[in-house]
Amino acid sequence: MSTEFNELLPVCRDEQPPNDKSQIWIIGTREQVLHTINEFYVKRIANDRVKFTPIVPAPFAAGKYMTVLER
């Protein structure tokens, strides 16, 4: 990752809380994101679709959408 992108992240590596959860970011076209959410649910990587954040336009990639799965 570039230094510029690291500065945009809300949590620095040194300041992570002890109960911090890992995240899986899914970025692509809206159809790709929806397909991946469904695939993760079918393969039981995520046991509920509620674990995903709402699909939003990716602020760093024009024409792409994103969601985050917190584990």
Side-chain angles (χ1 to χ4, degrees), residues 5 7 16-17 25-26 29 31-32 37-38 47 60 63 71:
F5 187 69
E7 290 173 1
Q16 289 182 346
W25 289 35
I26 302 169
T29 65
E31 292 77 22
Q32 289 171 329
I37 289 172
N38 291 330
N47 58 2
F60 46 81
R71 307 245 6 229

Side-chain angles (χ1 to χ4, degrees), residues 5-67:
F5 187 69
N6 283 337
E7 290 173 1
L8 295 175
L9 294 174
V11 178
C12 294
R13 288 184 208 130
D14 300 335
E15 300 174 8
Q16 289 182 346
N19 295 331
D20 196 25
K21 297 179 181 178
S22 62
Q23 297 178 345
I24 298 172
W25 289 35
I26 302 169
I27 303 165
T29 65
R30 188 169 186 81
E31 292 77 22
Q32 289 171 329
V33 171
L34 284 170
H35 177 76
T36 305
I37 289 172
N38 291 330
E39 185 178 4
F40 277 24
Y41 179 71
V42 168
K43 292 183 177 180
R44 301 200 183 272
I45 295 170
N47 58 2
D48 193 351
R49 288 182 177 95
V50 171
K51 304 264 184 181
F52 292 93
T53 62
I55 298 173
V56 296
F60 46 81
K64 300 290 182 177
Y65 292 84
M66 66 179 280
T67 186

